[in-house]
Amino acid sequence: MASDKAAIAGGEWHPSGSSRSVEARLVERNGEIVAMPAGGDKPLAGAGLSWVEISGRVGSIPRRVTFPDGSIFETWDNDGIDRYLAARGRGGAGLVHWLEQFRLRLIVIVLLAFALGGAVYRWGVPALVEVAILTTPPIVPELMSQGTLEALDKAAFSPSKLPEARRKEIADGFARIAAQSPRGASAYNLNFRDGGVIGPNAFALPDGTLVVTDQLVEMAGNDTEMIVGVLAHEIGHVELEHSLRQLYRAAGMTGLIMLIAGDVGSSVEDVLVQGGGLLALSYSRSAEAEADRRSVELMAKAGYDPTAIARFFSLLEEKLGDKSDTNILSTHPGTPQRKKDIIDYARIISGQSDPDLQ
């Protein structure tokens, strides 16, 4: 009877394992889904709803109804299929179609994902960094420092060409200020390198390894005290664990990138990890200010001019033209305000307003 058949959709039926197509219609008959020829009443295929496989809706792509015998009914009438499924409590359009239809929602989801990642980096990573600092065994900073120095030696550095006597003079001054550190002189290791493309620079790694380049020494001329003041600044970074914090922050950022991007491949992962290690050689302005003050304190304790590092900043202004508030080509920010702050702090710890501290 006609009432026993409810039309669902029109389309084409394909026999199992054949490219032949038959114009057909999909109907419900006696509780089953049945493919009927367009001009006849003899079923081509049929089965209960639980035995057929109906593809999900993706935009306007044709839907496929696969019967247990392997034959397929294909239709462009997505709405008809959705109405039938909804009436049978099987839901209509799928999640993919829902997202495809409402692109704004997908954009919102992506933005929320990035916002969550930003929140984790802004608040979650710093909190985890402090926990990591407290629980880090000594071997970890040693391994981190070894890996970073090896990467720099391969990529940029070469052995120092400074005369042995000049290196010894600087090393003796370094030992004198290192002895003023609570960690003691034995906690620090000074290394000389030809900086190559890096040029004049000095930096500290988390385990107390310090590096000064030939170019910085040459730029300083005979002012050994100024070089020692720069190294005192780097000791301050180690004491205050700035390098270790930066390494952990870089590791956290690498983890976030991998989380968002998925499997980035071993070569990209190496770039992120090694790049993170090099990123740890740069510090925030507050960290630089803390290390500047520590340089003033160590130099004063060792009997040196506490404002020696300010002369280094004057030299940067003179030789490199660094008069800006920031310097993207250096591992340290701009110099003018820092020089003034160093002189002011030296006056404070000396307990006087010495006109010679200019």
Side-chain angles (χ1 to χ4, degrees):
M1 295 176 60
S3 61
D4 293 332
K5 290 190 293 187
I8 299 174
E12 293 182 341
W13 176 79
H14 304 273
S16 176
S18 172
S19 60
R20 184 170 64 92
S21 65
V22 176
E23 187 179 356
R25 66 189 191 279
L26 195 67
V27 301
E28 183 184 35
R29 187 175 70 172
N30 299 327
E32 291 188 340
I33 252 186
V34 179
M36 305 285 291
D41 289 326
K42 184 178 180 181
L44 299 169
L49 180 58
S50 60
W51 293 95
V52 298
E53 180 182 338
I54 302 177
S55 62
R57 181 168 183 168
V58 180
S60 58
I61 294 175
R63 302 285 277 281
R64 307 185 82 188
V65 179
T66 305
F67 292 96
D69 64 359
S71 64
I72 296 171
F73 177 84
E74 191 172 65
T75 179
W76 293 88
D77 189 359
N78 283 294
D79 291 338
I81 297 291
D82 288 341
R83 284 193 298 269
Y84 172 75
L85 291 175
R88 300 302 178 274
R90 293 284 295 270
L95 176 62
V96 174
H97 175 68
W98 179 81
L99 292 175
E100 193 274 341
Q101 186 178 6
F102 299 100
R103 292 183 177 87
L104 179 60
R105 297 178 185 176
L106 182 58
I107 293 172
V108 170
I109 290 172
V110 171
L111 291 177
L112 286 175
F114 276 101
L116 178 60
V120 170
Y121 183 70
R122 176 65 179 84
W123 293 288
V125 171
L128 291 175
V129 164
E130 295 306 315
V131 173
I133 292 289
L134 294 174
T135 58
T136 298
I139 188 64
V140 173
E142 292 175 11
L143 293 175
M144 287 179 170
S145 301
Q146 180 181 353
T148 302
L149 187 56
E150 286 178 356
L152 285 169
D153 281 339
K154 289 179 181 178
F157 289 160
S158 58
S160 173
K161 299 178 180 63
L162 292 175
E164 179 64 31
R166 184 64 173 134
R167 281 185 283 166
K168 184 178 184 306
E169 182 182 10
I170 296 170
D172 289 345
F174 173 74
R176 185 168 152 187
I177 56 166
Q180 308 304 316
S181 171
R183 300 188 179 199
S186 61
Y188 301 96
N189 174 32
L190 178 61
N191 298 267
F192 295 89
R193 293 287 192 277
D194 182 339
V197 295
I198 291 180
N201 216 326
F203 60 87
L205 297 172
D207 68 339
T209 297
L210 276 74
V211 176
V212 61
T213 67
D214 293 358
Q215 288 78 5
L216 186 146
V217 174
E218 291 164 359
M219 188 175 70
N222 295 322
D223 195 344
T224 301
E225 188 178 50
M226 181 179 71
I227 299 172
V228 172
V230 172
L231 296 175
H233 168 96
E234 300 303 332
I235 287 177
H237 281 312
V238 177
E239 285 184 359
L240 298 167
E241 297 178 318
H242 292 155
S243 300
L244 190 58
R245 282 185 171 84
Q246 286 295 86
L247 279 168
Y248 279 134
R249 286 192 186 101
M253 190 61 188
T254 299
L256 277 178
I257 292 173
M258 291 181 178
L259 179 64
I260 294 171
D263 185 5
V264 295
S266 59
S267 59
V268 176
E269 182 176 346
D270 288 343
V271 170
L272 289 173
V273 173
Q274 295 293 346
L278 299 180
L279 179 64
L281 302 181
S282 63
Y283 305 101
S284 66
R285 291 193 181 193
S286 61
E288 292 291 2
E290 289 175 342
D292 286 344
R293 290 193 291 271
R294 191 59 182 140
S295 173
V296 171
E297 294 165 357
L298 290 172
M299 293 290 281
K301 288 180 181 179
Y304 284 119
D305 176 7
T307 65
I309 192 173
R311 298 204 299 274
F312 173 68
F313 294 135
S314 296
L315 190 62
L316 288 181
E317 290 179 323
E318 176 188 343
K319 295 288 183 70
L320 303 181
D322 184 7
K323 299 180 188 243
S324 62
D325 290 332
T326 58
N327 184 355
I328 196 170
L329 298 179
S330 172
T331 56
H332 300 87
T335 62
Q337 184 61 43
R338 290 176 66 189
K339 184 172 66 173
K340 178 180 182 301
D341 292 343
I342 288 166
I343 294 172
D344 291 345
Y345 187 64
R347 286 174 176 160
I348 291 173
I349 66 170
S350 67
Q352 59 179 324
S353 295
D354 189 346
D356 292 332
L357 293 177
Q358 298 288 332

